[in-house]
């Protein structure tokens, strides 16, 4: 029996965790990246890799995608829209081998609720062009499900953290900042829980479904930094009032929204139990790992 084949558009940090888990179980892994250097790195792991972006579509997409049983879409839309959908949407629609597909979106599509809770049934009121493009991308991918039967699932993600990308890494690198904006909450999710949720979806397929993949406890970012510093036995950085913080336009756009995101559908429909239900468990595991 031929092993399942996962193809990932955007085989980076997040998708890489899922790929490693499945490869260890005998799955065939293929995907795209942006540079020849990254392609060589992926190939060294035993993956099939292709350079892809809007200016460099897959040269023989039907052959490259042929016999993919699972497809993960992890490339954000650009100002022109979703490049994968634009360049290879029809190729994906024509895939007869495909059993499951997932699109990684963002909880940014909900916009600002002033700290109120949102669920997958909430109105989408994005406050940034970046999130508006995400909504259009979601619609485009879900249309492939409605029109062609592509087994597409949408996963809305908050801030992603894990080894190499966390408050602990920022503190160790001397780059952590504690910006004080009382009552402003951010959602987050450990990268291993994203992989776990995707695997749960593969085992409990429901094409057309949308899932919030976030942990149980939205929190103020300054508290996350303080807790990480405590784990490391370090003095936390001083608090900087939000009004006086020097932030890039991109960083400030993330602070424009304040919301709490419900994850009940993840638990009840997929039956997924979070490995790291809050930042505390995730950061503690990372600190103990050294």
């Amino acid at each position: 029996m031929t092993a399942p084949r996962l193809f990932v558009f955007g085989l980076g940090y997040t998708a890489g965790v899922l790929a490693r888990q499945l490869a260890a179980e005998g799955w065939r892994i293929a995907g795209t990246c942006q540079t020849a250097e990254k392609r060589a790195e992926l190939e060294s792991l035993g993956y099939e890799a292709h350079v892809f972006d809007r200016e460099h579509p897959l040269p023989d997409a039907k052959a490259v995608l042929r016999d993919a049983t699972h497809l993960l879409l992890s490339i954000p839309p650009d100002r022109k829209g979703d490049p994968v959908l634009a360049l290879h949407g029809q190729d994906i629609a024509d895939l007869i081998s495909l059993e499951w597909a997932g699109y990684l979106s963002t909880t940014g599509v909900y916009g600002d609720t002033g700290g109120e809770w949102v669920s997958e049934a909430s109105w989408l009121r994005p406050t940034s062009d970046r999130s508006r493009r995400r909504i259009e991308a979601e619609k485009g991918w879900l249309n492939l499900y409605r029109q062609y039967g592509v087994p597409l699932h949408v996963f809305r993600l908050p801030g992603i953290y894990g080894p190499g990308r966390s408050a602990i890494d920022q503190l160790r690198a001397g780059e952590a900042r504690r910006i004080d904006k009382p009552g402003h909450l951010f959602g987050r999710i450990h990268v291993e829980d994203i992989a776990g949720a995707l695997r749960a979806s593969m085992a409990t397929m429901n094409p057309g479904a949308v899932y919030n993949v976030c942990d149980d406890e939205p929190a103020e970012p300054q508290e996350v930094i303080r807790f990480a510093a405590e784990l490391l036995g370090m003095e936390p950085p001083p608090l900087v009032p939000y009004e006086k913080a020097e932030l890039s336009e991109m960083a400030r756009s993330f602070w424009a929204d304040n919301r709490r995101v419900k994850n009940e559908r993840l638990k009840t429909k997929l039956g997924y139990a979070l490995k790291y239900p809050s930042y505390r468990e995730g950061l503690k595991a990372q600190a103990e790992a050294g």
Side-chain angles (χ1 to χ4, degrees), residues 109-126:
V109 297
Y110 297 114
D112 179 37
T113 67
E116 293 300 315
W117 289 96
V118 294
S119 72
E120 293 88 348
S122 298
W123 288 102
L124 305 184
R125 296 189 173 101

Side-chain angles (χ1 to χ4, degrees), residues 48 50 57-66 88 91:
E48 175 192 329
H50 306 267
L58 296 177
D60 190 359
K62 291 191 181 300
V64 169
L65 295 171
R66 187 184 300 126
H88 297 302
D91 297 317

Side-chain angles (χ1 to χ4, degrees), residues 45-188:
L45 297 173
Y47 304 160
E48 175 192 329
H50 306 267
V51 173
F52 168 85
D53 58 31
R54 187 175 285 278
E55 283 67 47
H56 301 90
L58 296 177
D60 190 359
K62 291 191 181 300
V64 169
L65 295 171
R66 187 184 300 126
D67 84 345
T69 57
H70 295 71
L71 177 73
L72 184 62
L73 305 148
S74 185
I75 296 178
D78 56 27
R79 294 184 183 278
K80 295 180 180 179
D82 189 299
V84 182
L85 191 59
L87 297 171
H88 297 302
Q90 192 60 54
D91 297 317
I92 291 168
D94 292 341
L95 265 178
I96 61 174
S97 59
L98 199 59
E99 300 173 9
W100 177 94
Y103 176 69
L104 301 186
S105 185
T106 170
T107 56
V109 297
Y110 297 114
D112 179 37
T113 67
E116 293 300 315
W117 289 96
V118 294
S119 72
E120 293 88 348
S122 298
W123 288 102
L124 305 184
R125 296 189 173 101
T127 58
S128 69
D129 289 338
R130 187 176 61 255
S131 294
R132 293 184 188 97
R133 291 194 290 267
R134 282 290 194 178
I135 291 175
E136 291 306 309
E138 283 189 12
K139 290 178 180 177
W141 286 111
L142 287 169
N143 278 340
L144 283 195
Y145 159 64
R146 297 186 183 101
Q147 294 181 19
Y148 299 99
V150 173
L152 196 282
H153 308 71
V154 173
F155 303 90
R156 292 175 179 160
L157 311 177
I160 300 168
Y161 77 102
R165 298 189 183 187
S166 73
I168 284 178
D169 299 285
Q170 293 169 358
L171 284 162
R172 284 173 171 164
E175 299 171 351
R177 301 174 67 193
R178 292 179 71 216
I179 298 173
D180 189 24
K181 194 177 184 184
H184 195 101
L185 305 169
F186 283 95
R188 53 191 53 77

Side-chain angles (χ1 to χ4, degrees), residues 4 17 19 70 76 166 176 182 223 252:
V17 174
H70 295 71
S166 73
E223 173 57 23
R252 199 166 289 278

